[in-house]
């Protein structure tokens, strides 16, 4: 059943298993545990729909990337951030979990074999349709094209499957309503975990409603499934027994924060006579499957290069015309000091590309499409190359508590996201490896954006809203927050679900692995409770 | 300009039927095509890339294989952001020195 915590009378609630957070991980855990007969209480901060007041609890302070919209990267209502999920999925590969030679803090305490059995159930939950990540050539043929073979020692084609995308709140609302041993409490914000004196057992969870009652949940088992940032925040907020935060005896909680970079890395110009790359330029719907062709590195190339994993995705787009860019800059930002300083260069660009600029002016004056009208791609022969790359773990990249407080008088989140030189090097090499593979296959040439090659690379690094690493998994309590079973080191009844447990993130969008790990955790807790 | 156009025209007139008849080595056709592109003043950096790809197209498998082998060996360099094989950079530079 689904209840509203604002109508709760404030009395103490008992729960066999209490899950905090109803996103992909929390809802998966609740469904799996309830289906196997366990009594579950699921606390959700928001309601059934978006609410700006509740969402404001996600606001935080950004220490390093001012344009990073912390509050916009996740959502607080039933279904959590799956409510704005893009839907792309791919499992992690063995190399993603392996320790990387010479790179500190890499290596999961579990192998892929520990997760692989749960991907199939995760694919069902994420409604992927028919799935085969390995049959790259088969999918290309079924999409009506000829398989692209790079035969390259470093880069190969791959395929990503898409979820519809599943909005977990609406897709599974009826399941949550009907499960007899499952209670969902909406508008219930967990604000503190209260442990025993030895900080070895969670005795209670304190929850509050905005403008409403506070109440206590007494769980036998507690699972945090609040997302990659809020999992760490709730541990840090729980300071009664451990001043640095619960489970933070070794100052690891909140550290090693990672995201996948998103970088417009350059342009691909297809060679005359090159095969059709349509499978790689947009999604293909085949039966009940939606797929997208991508390019990824071979694992051995990653080891050889000493860089992180990445994926390359193509989008139909015109190669940029320097003259058009300069004309737009002059028309739109003529007052800008930078423009005035480089006026000569801009005018030279315009003269050099006078035909493109004339085309743009025609559109603006005659067609009135404005200066944002795209310059058409040369007969579909160009594509934007977007690189999404893995970051290596960095102890100084971290989420911590701010001095500012939210509506519930709790310290807000402070995020200090760091991009290391070794990350930038890896993303540059990724583009170079792709450019070489395309050249070797005779498919065309790749022009890598100057920003990525020069000193301004940090400026073009975008985010993917994949919050990882803040409660990382490690066998050694000094190196991680949870063990291989996602149990917080030193606390016998506290578990964590979600991408905050990822010690490294590969390139794969994390939701499928989040769900697979949640299924695995449900099995583990079920066995423990039995 | 008039002189360059004239040379381009004459070269083209000689190359096209010769290439069609396989009367001259294909790498000469490739070099000639690059020269034509240079003389026709194909805009900005694209000319190098276009020259390379056209050279590959015209020169047939031998040059294509040489360029592909360059990329596989890592014999390639970034020129204004383009990753180009050393062979095509050499051809473009030769054409540029001759006619540029």
């Amino acid at each position: 059943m689904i209840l509203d915590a604002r109508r709760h009378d404030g009395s103490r609630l008992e729960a066999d298993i209490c899950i905090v957070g109803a996103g992909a991980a929390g809802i998966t855990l609740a469904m799996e545990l309830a289906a196997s007969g366990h009594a579950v209480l699921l606390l959700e901060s928001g309601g059934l729909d978006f609410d700006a007041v509740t969402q404001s609890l996600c606001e935080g302070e950004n220490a390093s990337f001012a344009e990073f919209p912390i509050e916009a990267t996740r959502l607080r209502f039933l279904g959590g951030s799956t409510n704005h999920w893009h839907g792309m999925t791919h499992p992690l590969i063995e190399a993603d979990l392996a320790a990387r030679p010479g790179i500190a803090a890499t290596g999961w305490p579990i192998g892929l074999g520990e997760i692989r059995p749960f991907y199939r159930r995760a694919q069902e939950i994420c409604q992927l349709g028919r799935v085969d990540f390995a049959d790259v050539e088969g999918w290309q043929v079924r999409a009506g094209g000829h398989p692209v073979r790079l035969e390259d020692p470093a880069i190969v084609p791959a395929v990503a499957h898409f979820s519809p995308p599943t909005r977990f709140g609406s897709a599974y609302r009826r399941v949550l309503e009907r499960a007899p041993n499952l209670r969902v409490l909406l508008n219930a914000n967990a604000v503190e975990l209260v442990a025993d004196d030895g900080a070895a057992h969670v005795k209670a969870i304190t929850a509050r409603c905005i403008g409403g009652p506070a109440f206590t949940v007494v769980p036998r088992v507690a699972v945090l499934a609040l997302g990659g940032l809020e999992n760490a925040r709730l541990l840090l907020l729980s300071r009664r027994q451990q001043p640095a935060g619960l489970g933070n005896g070794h100052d690891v909680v909140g550290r090693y924060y990672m995201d996948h970079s998103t970088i417009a890395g350059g342009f691909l110009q297809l060679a005359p006579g090159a095969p059709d790359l349509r499978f790689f330029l947009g999604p293909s719907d085949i039966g009940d499957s939606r797929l997208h062709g991508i390019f990824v590195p071979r694992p051995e190339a990653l080891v050889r290069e000493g860089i992180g994993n990445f994926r390359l995705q193509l989008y139909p787009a015109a190669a940029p015309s320097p003259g058009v860019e300069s004309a737009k800059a002059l028309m739109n930002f003529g007052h800008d000091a930078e423009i005035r300083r480089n006026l000569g260069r801009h005018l030279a660009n315009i003269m050099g590309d006078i035909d493109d600029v004339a085309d743009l002016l025609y559109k603006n004056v005659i067609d009135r499409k404005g200066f944002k009208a795209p310059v058409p791609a040369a007969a579909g022969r160009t594509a934007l190359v977007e690189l999404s790359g893995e970051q290596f773990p960095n102890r100084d990249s971290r989420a911590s508590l701010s001095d500012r407080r939210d509506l519930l008088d709790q310290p807000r989140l402070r995020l200090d996201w760091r991009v290391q030189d070794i990350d930038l090097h890896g993303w540059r090499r990724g583009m170079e490896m792709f450019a070489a593979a395309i050249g070797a296959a005779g498919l065309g040439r790749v022009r890598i954006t100057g920003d990525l090659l020069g000193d301004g690379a940090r400026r073009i690094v975008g985010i993917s809203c994949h919050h990882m690493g803040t409660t990382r998994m490690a066998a050694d309590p000094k190196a991680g927050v949870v063990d291989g079973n996602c149990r917080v080191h030193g606390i016998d009844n506290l578990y964590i679900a979600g991408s905050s447990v990822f010690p490294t993130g590969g390139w794969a969008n994390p939701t499928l692995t989040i769900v697979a790990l949640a299924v695995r955790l449900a099995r583990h807790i079920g066995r423990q409770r039995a | 300009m008039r002189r360059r156009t004239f040379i381009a025209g004459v070269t083209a007139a000689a190359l096209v039927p010769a290439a069609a008849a396989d009367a001259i080595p294909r790498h000469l056709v490739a070099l000639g095509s690059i020269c034509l592109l240079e003389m026709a003043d194909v805009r900005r950096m694209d000319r190098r890339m276009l020259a390379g790809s056209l050279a590959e197209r015209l020169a047939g498998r031998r040059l294509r294989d040489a360029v592909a082998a360059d990329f596989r060996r890592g014999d390639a360099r970034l020129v204004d952001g383009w990753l180009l094989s050393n062979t095509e950079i050499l051809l473009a530079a030769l054409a540029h020195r001759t006619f540029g």
Side-chain angles (χ1 to χ4, degrees):
Chain A
M1 71 188 88
I2 297 179
L3 305 165
D4 190 335
R6 292 173 298 191
R7 299 201 184 90
H8 183 60
D9 60 9
S11 62
R12 200 174 76 162
L13 289 169
E14 303 222 344
D16 186 17
I17 300 163
C18 179
I19 301 162
V20 187
I27 288 177
T28 299
L29 269 161
M31 292 194 304
E32 297 293 292
L33 284 165
S36 54
H38 297 278
V40 177
L41 175 65
L42 177 58
L43 302 182
E44 166 53 40
S45 166
L48 293 174
D49 294 303
F50 179 84
D51 168 68
V53 176
T54 304
Q55 183 65 25
S56 74
L57 295 172
C58 284
E59 289 173 6
E61 190 182 327
N62 198 319
S64 46
F65 279 72
E67 67 277 22
F68 188 128
I70 297 176
E71 66 279 7
T73 61
R74 53 235 155 90
L75 289 170
R76 276 189 184 237
F77 62 102
L78 191 68
S81 296
T82 64
N83 288 300
H84 63 184
W85 181 29
H86 179 229
M88 182 184 259
T89 70
H90 197 281
L92 294 174
I93 62 170
E94 197 77 61
D96 293 330
L97 280 69
R100 322 293 171 87
I103 308 293
T106 54
W108 292 47
I110 59 174
L112 191 62
E114 296 264 359
I115 307 174
R116 195 180 285 122
F118 305 100
Y119 272 126
R120 181 175 292 279
R121 175 68 182 133
Q123 290 160 11
E124 291 168 4
I125 292 172
C126 293
Q127 301 172 311
L128 293 192
R130 185 188 161 201
V131 176
D132 191 340
F133 289 101
D135 187 20
V136 181
E137 292 199 359
W139 285 117
Q140 290 182 70
V141 171
R142 283 190 283 280
H146 295 289
V148 170
R149 294 191 184 97
L150 293 183
E151 294 171 7
D152 187 79
I155 301 287
V156 289
V159 66
H161 281 270
F162 275 85
S163 168
T166 305
R167 309 296 181 207
F168 277 57
S170 52
Y172 296 115
R173 183 174 163 183
R174 292 178 81 80
V175 178
L176 300 176
E177 281 172 340
R178 290 178 177 184
N181 47 347
L182 172 59
R183 288 173 292 167
V184 181
L185 212 47
L186 301 176
N187 302 299
N189 298 283
V191 293
E192 187 184 10
L193 305 172
V194 181
D196 63 7
D197 291 341
H201 183 85
V202 172
K203 291 194 305 184
I205 299 168
T206 306
R208 292 182 57 192
C209 304
I210 296 174
F215 57 95
T216 300
V217 177
V218 177
R220 288 192 177 83
V221 172
V223 186
L224 306 188
L226 293 148
L229 293 174
E230 297 293 328
N231 279 343
R233 184 182 174 209
L234 185 56
L235 290 174
L236 295 171
L237 287 172
S238 305
R239 296 180 275 194
R240 214 179 290 196
Q241 284 76 32
Q242 284 187 305
L246 196 59
N248 198 23
H250 299 284
D251 190 19
V252 183
V253 173
R255 293 187 178 274
Y256 299 99
Y257 172 76
M258 300 170 291
D259 195 353
H260 290 127
S261 67
T262 303
I263 298 171
F267 277 85
L268 163 64
Q269 175 82 49
L270 284 174
D276 186 0
L277 285 186
R278 201 177 314 161
F279 185 69
F280 298 87
L281 287 166
S284 302
D285 290 306
I286 304 167
D288 59 351
S289 303
R290 170 165 276 215
L291 316 99
H292 201 304
I294 54 176
F295 296 95
V296 297
R298 293 183 194 272
E300 52 270 30
L302 295 177
V303 173
R304 189 174 61 241
E305 296 277 345
I307 61 177
N309 207 347
F310 59 88
R311 96 164 171 256
L312 298 142
Q313 196 169 347
L314 306 181
Y315 296 93
S321 157
V324 168
E325 295 303 313
S326 288
K328 285 196 282 192
L330 288 179
M331 296 300 291
N332 295 333
F333 306 104
H335 58 281
D336 190 286
E338 188 275 333
I339 299 294
R340 285 199 296 275
R341 268 199 310 279
N342 296 306
L343 187 60
R345 181 172 60 80
H346 286 303
L347 290 175
N349 286 342
I350 290 170
M351 292 308 292
D353 291 336
I354 194 67
D355 46 354
D356 289 341
V357 175
D359 183 55
L360 186 75
L361 284 170
Y362 173 83
K363 287 196 175 89
N364 187 51
V365 176
I366 308 298
D367 287 359
R368 299 193 179 279
K369 288 183 179 172
F371 278 86
K372 286 181 180 166
V375 177
R381 307 304 290 175
T382 60
L384 172 70
V385 183
E386 184 190 84
L387 182 144
S388 182
E390 178 182 36
Q391 283 193 277
F392 282 136
N394 174 9
R395 190 175 157 77
D396 295 329
S397 182
R398 67 184 298 199
S400 57
L401 298 180
S402 160
D403 295 332
R404 298 181 191 165
R405 290 180 175 264
D406 66 14
L407 278 175
L408 297 170
D409 200 31
Q410 300 295 307
R412 290 192 183 280
L413 194 77
R414 181 179 189 273
L415 190 64
D416 187 357
W417 181 42
R418 303 284 180 93
V419 173
Q420 305 179 88
D421 287 344
I422 194 172
D423 300 328
L424 293 171
H425 166 72
W427 302 334
R428 281 188 201 112
R429 279 297 299 145
M431 283 300 299
E432 289 169 359
M433 289 157 66
F434 179 62
I438 290 293
L443 290 176
R445 298 290 179 271
V446 172
R447 185 179 198 182
I448 302 172
T449 180
D451 285 333
L452 184 58
L453 298 169
D455 296 333
R458 274 188 171 74
R459 284 199 303 272
I460 64 164
V461 176
I463 59 172
S464 296
C465 313
H466 301 160
H467 309 138
M468 298 175 285
T470 57
T471 64
R472 66 201 318 266
M473 188 190 288
D476 181 356
K478 291 177 186 164
V481 178
V482 301
D483 64 15
N485 288 317
C486 296
R487 186 177 64 83
V488 176
H489 284 294
I491 303 177
D492 65 2
N493 66 337
L494 179 60
Y495 293 86
I496 295 182
S499 51
S500 63
V501 306
F502 292 12
T504 49
W507 69 258
N509 299 43
T511 301
L512 187 67
T513 301
I514 289 171
V515 173
L517 281 175
V519 175
R520 176 177 178 265
L521 179 55
R523 301 280 195 281
H524 175 75
I525 292 173
R527 280 197 303 273
Q528 297 292 307
R529 296 302 301 153
Chain B
M1 188 62 203
R2 208 185 278 172
R3 185 173 64 90
R4 297 168 97 201
T5 309
F6 174 74
I7 295 171
V10 169
T11 314
L15 281 177
V16 171
D22 251 353
I24 57 174
R26 287 188 160 215
H27 62 271
L28 284 182
V29 179
L31 188 60
S33 68
I34 295 166
C35 299
L36 286 174
L37 284 165
E38 285 289 332
M39 285 187 290
D41 200 19
V42 175
R43 285 180 297 116
R44 54 186 187 279
M45 264 314 297
D46 294 354
R47 81 182 72 169
R48 287 187 188 165
M49 201 275 303
L50 286 170
S53 57
L54 189 59
E56 283 177 60
R57 193 180 186 189
L58 290 175
R61 190 166 198 86
R62 208 162 143 197
L63 184 56
R64 274 206 303 275
D65 288 350
V67 168
D70 271 2
F71 279 113
R72 277 196 291 273
R73 279 195 305 268
D75 288 342
R77 279 191 292 127
L78 287 166
V79 181
D80 278 3
W82 292 105
L83 188 74
L84 302 176
S85 88
N86 285 347
T87 298
E88 52 192 342
I89 291 170
L90 183 69
L91 284 172
L94 182 61
H96 190 71
R97 174 168 292 190
T98 310
F99 296 97

